[in-house]
C-alpha cells in the first residue's frame, strides 16, 4: 500500500457545508476523505469544489435529500462491487480501492428514539443492518484483505465513549443491544478499533455533540459515533506511528453552522 492520510466526516449536507470541507482539507491535508449524510444525488454533488480542494477523484452513492455517502481522493480510485448491505436499499454504504487498500464507508442508521425493535421500525432496521454486516464481515475475513472501514456507525460502544455511561444506557446509540451488535460485527471480521487501540480508557473520546447544547464545549456531552476500523492485514500500518497518527478535529464543531459531527483522521502506513 501507499501511505496516506484518511479522513471520515458526517458532513450533514455536503452542498451546505462544502466550504467547511475545504477549510478542513486545507488544514488537515488528507489524501482521502470519506463523507456521510451527504443528502444529495450524485449529479447534485459539488464536484467543482472538491476539484479545487485537490480531491478530483470521486465516488458518490447518493439519495435525494437523505443519507448518502461519498469518497473523494487525491489519487485515482477503483470502484468495487457495491454489495447490497442496507436492508432497505438506502444509500448507506460504498467501497472502493484506493492507494492499495479497500476502503469501506458506512452510514449506519441512527435508529430513532425508542430502543425497542418491536415498536420502533427504525431501531429494528439498525439492528438488521448490523446483523447483515456481521455475516458480511465473517465472509470477508476469509480473504485476509487490507480493509479500512470508516463512517458514522451511530453507536458509542464503550463506557468512556459517552459523557455519562449510566445516563445513556437506555438512550439509542449506547444501549447494550446496539453495543453487542456492533461488537459482533467487529469480532466477525477480527477488526481493530483504531481509536481505542491507540488511546486507552478512561480517556474520553467524542466525535459528536448535539445541536441542542447552547455551549457544546462547556457541557461536553458528547459521544464517539464516528469510527475507523482496520482489518488484521492493516493493523501495523494503522498503529505504527502511535496516537499522533489519529486525531479528532473537534474545533470544526465550533464553526459557523457546523455539522454536529467532527472529522476524524488517521495516517496509514
Amino acid at each position: 500500500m501507499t501511505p496516506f492520510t484518511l479522513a471520515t466526516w458526517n458532513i450533514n449536507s455536503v452542498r451546505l457545508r462544502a466550504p467547511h470541507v475545504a477549510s478542513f482539507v486545507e488544514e488537515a491535508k488528507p489524501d482521502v476523505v470519506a463523507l456521510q449524510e451527504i443528502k444529495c444525488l450524485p449529479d447534485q454533488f459539488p464536484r467543482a469544489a472538491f476539484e479545487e480542494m485537490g480531491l478530483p477523484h470521486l465516488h458518490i452513492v447518493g439519495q435525494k435529500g437523505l443519507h448518502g455517502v461519498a469518497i473523494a481522493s487525491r489519487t485515482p480510485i477503483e470502484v468495487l462491487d457495491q454489495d447490497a448491505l442496507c436492508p432497505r436499499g438506502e444509500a448507506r454504504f460504498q467501497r472502493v480501492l484506493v492507494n492499495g487498500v479497500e476502503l469501506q464507508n458506512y452510514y449506519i442508521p441512527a435508529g430513532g428514539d425508542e430502543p425497542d425493535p418491536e415498536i420502533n421500525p427504525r431501531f429494528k432496521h439498525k439492528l438488521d443492518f448490523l446483523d447483515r454486516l456481521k455475516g458480511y464481515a465473517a465472509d470477508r475475513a476469509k480473504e485476509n484483505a487490507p480493509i479500512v472501514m470508516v463512517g458514522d456507525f451511530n453507536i458509542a460502544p464503550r463506557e468512556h465513549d459517552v459523557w455519562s455511561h449510566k445516563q445513556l444506557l437506555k438512550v439509542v446509540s449506547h444501549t447494550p443491544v446496539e453495543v453487542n451488535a456492533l461488537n459482533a460485527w467487529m469480532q466477525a471480521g477480527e477488526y481493530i478499533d483504531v481509536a481505542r487501540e491507540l488511546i486507552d480508557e478512561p480517556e474520553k473520546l467524542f466525535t459528536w455533540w448535539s445541536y441542542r447544547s447552547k455551549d457544546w464545549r462547556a457541557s461536553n456531552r458528547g459521544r464517539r459515533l464516528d469510527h475507523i476500523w482496520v482489518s488484521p492485514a492493516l493493523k501495523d500500518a494503522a498503529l505504527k506511528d502511535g496516537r499522533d497518527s489519529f486525531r479528532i478535529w473537534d474545533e470544526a464543531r465550533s464553526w459557523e453552522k457546523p455539522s454536529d459531527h467532527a472529522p476524524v483522521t488517521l495516517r496509514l502506513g
Side-chain angles (χ1 to χ4, degrees), residues 9 27 32 43 52 95 97 103 110 114 119 126 133 163 172-173 180-181 208 229 241 253 258:
W9 195 359
E27 182 175 359
V32 182
D43 62 359
E52 290 177 7
R95 67 187 191 109
L97 190 68
L103 171 59
E114 182 60 49
I119 63 174
K126 184 176 192 175
L133 292 179
W163 64 274
V172 172
S173 79
N180 290 341
W208 173 93
W229 295 356
D241 291 333
R253 182 61 180 80

Side-chain angles (χ1 to χ4, degrees), residues 109-117 119-124 126 168-175 178 208 212 223:
D113 296 325
E114 182 60 49
D116 184 345
I119 63 174
N120 179 2
R122 295 173 65 188
F123 194 69
K124 182 179 186 304
K126 184 176 192 175
L168 293 177
L169 276 172
K170 295 183 179 180
V171 175
V172 172
S173 79
H174 192 60
T175 65
E178 293 169 275
W208 173 93
R212 296 174 184 173
R223 307 177 201 177

Side-chain angles (χ1 to χ4, degrees), residues 185-246:
W185 173 25
M186 180 187 295
Q187 291 162 9
E190 301 178 4
Y191 300 140
I192 295 101
D193 177 358
V194 173
R196 281 306 180 192
E197 195 75 17
L198 293 172
I199 304 170
D200 291 334
E201 295 182 282
E203 183 173 340
K204 289 188 178 295
L205 294 176
F206 306 147
T207 65
W208 173 93
W209 296 262
S210 173
Y211 285 129
R212 296 174 184 173
S213 298
K214 292 183 179 179
D215 187 339
W216 72 273
R217 182 75 79 178
S219 61
N220 201 27
R221 294 191 171 191
R223 307 177 201 177
R224 184 170 73 101
L225 304 181
D226 305 270
H227 299 266
I228 300 177
W229 295 356
V230 296
S231 65
L234 284 178
K235 181 176 181 179
D236 290 345
L239 305 181
K240 75 181 193 66
D241 291 333
R243 68 174 294 163
D244 288 344
S245 64
F246 176 87

Side-chain angles (χ1 to χ4, degrees), residues 115-135:
D116 184 345
E118 298 298 323
I119 63 174
N120 179 2
R122 295 173 65 188
F123 194 69
K124 182 179 186 304
H125 178 218
K126 184 176 192 175
L127 296 181
D128 288 346
F129 199 154
L130 291 166
D131 186 61
R132 188 173 289 190
L133 292 179
K134 179 181 71 172

